[in-house]
PDB file of all heavy atoms in Angstrom:
ATOM      1  N   HIS A1312     119.219  88.060 136.790  1.00  0.00           N
ATOM      2  CA  HIS A1312     119.716  89.440 136.977  1.00  0.00           C
ATOM      3  C   HIS A1312     120.568  89.434 138.232  1.00  0.00           C
ATOM      4  O   HIS A1312     120.468  88.501 139.039  1.00  0.00           O
ATOM      5  CB  HIS A1312     118.540  90.391 137.100  1.00  0.00           C
ATOM      6  CG  HIS A1312     118.867  91.801 136.595  1.00  0.00           C
ATOM      7  ND1 HIS A1312     119.886  92.558 137.119  1.00  0.00           N
ATOM      8  CD2 HIS A1312     118.286  92.548 135.634  1.00  0.00           C
ATOM      9  CE1 HIS A1312     119.932  93.717 136.464  1.00  0.00           C
ATOM     10  NE2 HIS A1312     118.986  93.733 135.566  1.00  0.00           N
ATOM     11  N   HIS A1313     121.353  90.483 138.398  1.00  0.00           N
ATOM     12  CA  HIS A1313     122.141  90.555 139.640  1.00  0.00           C
ATOM     13  C   HIS A1313     121.383  91.297 140.741  1.00  0.00           C
ATOM     14  O   HIS A1313     121.793  91.347 141.898  1.00  0.00           O
ATOM     15  CB  HIS A1313     123.490  91.241 139.402  1.00  0.00           C
ATOM     16  CG  HIS A1313     123.368  92.686 139.098  1.00  0.00           C
ATOM     17  ND1 HIS A1313     123.359  93.648 140.070  1.00  0.00           N
ATOM     18  CD2 HIS A1313     123.229  93.339 137.936  1.00  0.00           C
ATOM     19  CE1 HIS A1313     123.233  94.856 139.522  1.00  0.00           C
ATOM     20  NE2 HIS A1313     123.125  94.682 138.227  1.00  0.00           N
ATOM     21  N   ARG A1327     120.318  84.464 139.942  1.00  0.00           N
ATOM     22  CA  ARG A1327     121.155  85.625 140.208  1.00  0.00           C
ATOM     23  C   ARG A1327     122.555  85.350 139.761  1.00  0.00           C
ATOM     24  O   ARG A1327     123.063  84.241 139.892  1.00  0.00           O
ATOM     25  CB  ARG A1327     121.174  85.952 141.713  1.00  0.00           C
ATOM     26  CG  ARG A1327     119.891  86.614 142.101  1.00  0.00           C
ATOM     27  CD  ARG A1327     120.042  87.477 143.329  1.00  0.00           C
ATOM     28  NE  ARG A1327     118.702  88.029 143.573  1.00  0.00           N
ATOM     29  CZ  ARG A1327     118.455  89.304 143.754  1.00  0.00           C
ATOM     30  NH1 ARG A1327     119.415  90.174 143.763  1.00  0.00           N
ATOM     31  NH2 ARG A1327     117.223  89.724 143.943  1.00  0.00           N
ATOM     32  N   PHE A1328     123.185  86.398 139.199  1.00  0.00           N
ATOM     33  CA  PHE A1328     124.599  86.262 138.897  1.00  0.00           C
ATOM     34  C   PHE A1328     125.312  87.468 139.499  1.00  0.00           C
ATOM     35  O   PHE A1328     124.670  88.409 139.933  1.00  0.00           O
ATOM     36  CB  PHE A1328     124.852  86.167 137.373  1.00  0.00           C
ATOM     37  CG  PHE A1328     124.063  87.159 136.553  1.00  0.00           C
ATOM     38  CD1 PHE A1328     124.391  88.525 136.541  1.00  0.00           C
ATOM     39  CD2 PHE A1328     122.974  86.730 135.789  1.00  0.00           C
ATOM     40  CE1 PHE A1328     123.671  89.401 135.755  1.00  0.00           C
ATOM     41  CE2 PHE A1328     122.252  87.645 135.021  1.00  0.00           C
ATOM     42  CZ  PHE A1328     122.594  88.984 135.005  1.00  0.00           C
ATOM     43  N   GLU A1329     126.625  87.403 139.520  1.00  0.00           N
ATOM     44  CA  GLU A1329     127.378  88.542 140.061  1.00  0.00           C
ATOM     45  C   GLU A1329     127.254  89.724 139.110  1.00  0.00           C
ATOM     46  O   GLU A1329     127.072  89.536 137.902  1.00  0.00           O
ATOM     47  CB  GLU A1329     128.853  88.182 140.142  1.00  0.00           C
ATOM     48  CG  GLU A1329     129.220  87.464 141.418  1.00  0.00           C
ATOM     49  CD  GLU A1329     130.704  87.107 141.382  1.00  0.00           C
ATOM     50  OE1 GLU A1329     131.533  88.021 141.139  1.00  0.00           O
ATOM     51  OE2 GLU A1329     130.982  85.909 141.512  1.00  0.00           O
ATOM     52  N   VAL A1330     127.401  90.933 139.671  1.00  0.00           N
ATOM     53  CA  VAL A1330     127.296  92.145 138.844  1.00  0.00           C
ATOM     54  C   VAL A1330     128.190  92.022 137.624  1.00  0.00           C
ATOM     55  O   VAL A1330     129.369  91.686 137.728  1.00  0.00           O
ATOM     56  CB  VAL A1330     127.724  93.358 139.680  1.00  0.00           C
ATOM     57  CG1 VAL A1330     127.732  94.621 138.825  1.00  0.00           C
ATOM     58  CG2 VAL A1330     126.793  93.544 140.863  1.00  0.00           C
ATOM     59  N   GLY A1331     127.605  92.243 136.445  1.00  0.00           N
ATOM     60  CA  GLY A1331     128.397  92.258 135.217  1.00  0.00           C
ATOM     61  C   GLY A1331     128.735  90.891 134.675  1.00  0.00           C
ATOM     62  O   GLY A1331     129.523  90.767 133.742  1.00  0.00           O
ATOM     63  N   ARG A1332     128.165  89.811 135.220  1.00  0.00           N
ATOM     64  CA  ARG A1332     128.554  88.460 134.821  1.00  0.00           C
ATOM     65  C   ARG A1332     127.476  87.754 134.018  1.00  0.00           C
ATOM     66  O   ARG A1332     127.406  86.531 134.002  1.00  0.00           O
ATOM     67  CB  ARG A1332     128.902  87.649 136.074  1.00  0.00           C
ATOM     68  CG  ARG A1332     130.154  88.059 136.780  1.00  0.00           C
ATOM     69  CD  ARG A1332     131.363  87.633 135.962  1.00  0.00           C
ATOM     70  NE  ARG A1332     132.596  88.220 136.533  1.00  0.00           N
ATOM     71  CZ  ARG A1332     133.803  87.925 136.080  1.00  0.00           C
ATOM     72  NH1 ARG A1332     133.947  87.086 135.042  1.00  0.00           N
ATOM     73  NH2 ARG A1332     134.851  88.472 136.597  1.00  0.00           N
ATOM     74  N   ALA A1333     126.599  88.523 133.365  1.00  0.00           N
ATOM     75  CA  ALA A1333     125.520  87.899 132.612  1.00  0.00           C
ATOM     76  C   ALA A1333     126.027  86.941 131.522  1.00  0.00           C
ATOM     77  O   ALA A1333     125.496  85.834 131.420  1.00  0.00           O
ATOM     78  CB  ALA A1333     124.626  88.988 132.003  1.00  0.00           C
ATOM     79  N   TRP A1336     127.146  83.712 133.019  1.00  0.00           N
ATOM     80  CA  TRP A1336     126.013  82.941 133.582  1.00  0.00           C
ATOM     81  C   TRP A1336     125.275  82.215 132.437  1.00  0.00           C
ATOM     82  O   TRP A1336     124.974  81.021 132.559  1.00  0.00           O
ATOM     83  CB  TRP A1336     125.053  83.882 134.307  1.00  0.00           C
ATOM     84  CG  TRP A1336     123.885  83.127 134.891  1.00  0.00           C
ATOM     85  CD1 TRP A1336     123.852  82.460 136.087  1.00  0.00           C
ATOM     86  CD2 TRP A1336     122.607  82.933 134.255  1.00  0.00           C
ATOM     87  NE1 TRP A1336     122.635  81.848 136.253  1.00  0.00           N
ATOM     88  CE2 TRP A1336     121.828  82.115 135.144  1.00  0.00           C
ATOM     89  CE3 TRP A1336     122.045  83.338 133.066  1.00  0.00           C
ATOM     90  CZ2 TRP A1336     120.539  81.741 134.848  1.00  0.00           C
ATOM     91  CZ3 TRP A1336     120.749  82.937 132.790  1.00  0.00           C
ATOM     92  CH2 TRP A1336     120.000  82.145 133.656  1.00  0.00           C
TER      93      TRP A1336
END
Side-chain angles (χ1 to χ4, degrees):
H1312 210 301
H1313 69 88
R1327 283 204 180 232
F1328 45 74
E1329 275 178 53
V1330 175
R1332 291 286 172 174
W1336 181 84

